Amino acid sequence: MSRKPIMAGNWKMYKTPAETHAFFEAFKPLVRDAEHCEIIICPPFPNLHAAVEETKGSNITIGAQNLHWGREGAVTGEVSGHMLQAVGCSSVIIAHSERRQYFGETEPDVVRKAQAALEYGLTPIVCVGERLEEREGNRTEAVLGEQFDGGLAPLTPEQFAKLVIAYEPVWAIGTGKTATPEMAADAHRFIRARAAAKFGDALARGVRILYGGSVKPDNVKKLMAEEDIDGALVGGASLDPVTFAAVVKY
Ligand code: 13P
């Protein structure tokens, strides 16, 4: 089964609405002809409206970086899938390692956030990945297995069929240390095999697994040459329109 690549930018806590406008003005013409992949930009919440407006009628869709699992309620500081859908988002990142590390997000959160995202028509982009000490302790597959079993295996096959997975080794994020294409491909194959064991071959072959961690214009081509790498989730290199366009057009 052919899987259409996804090139996604995670802006993290960067850019104002004015900077969002300036980014898209420069970025849209650069990627106008890119039909080989889906392009997603995930700005901070206050920029979502501007980003959706800027990308209407384009080949770019907008995702959020987090959501709460409820629809509405007395939950100060949170944003729901219902609201993200209403503002025009198409997808949402779930359990990024920074959310796991700084805000204590766990596998049960992944399950309820992924379910909530799907309920509101948003594609969940669920992040998994090991920390440095886990890789050095030869625990990479054990950690990925636990994250799969706790966060993804509890979903129904219908739910699993609609999500995207992002493998982001924590030690490669923002450090300039990219996993080698072989290391990333090994992890992707492991995750796909886990998916096959739980959900069957057809769904496992269909699920897109993105790589994230210091993806740049000069390393993206080799990563994308790997059969099991279906795209990239890009932090720092997605902030500049020219740089991210070069990543998109690897
Ligand atoms: P960098 O591309 O800045 O390493 O960030 C990766 C990431 O965390 C994307 O979600």
Side-chain angles (χ1 to χ4, degrees), residues 157-172:
E158 292 72 24
Q159 291 169 337
F160 184 79
K162 293 187 187 140
L163 59 78
V164 171
I165 299 172
Y167 168 62
E168 299 205 313
V170 179
W171 49 271

Side-chain angles (χ1 to χ4, degrees), residues 14-34:
Y14 290 97
K15 294 195 194 288
T16 62
E19 290 164 342
T20 300
H21 172 75
F23 174 91
F24 283 111
E25 258 200 340
F27 182 65
K28 277 188 295 187
L30 297 175
V31 297
R32 188 167 287 145
D33 299 330

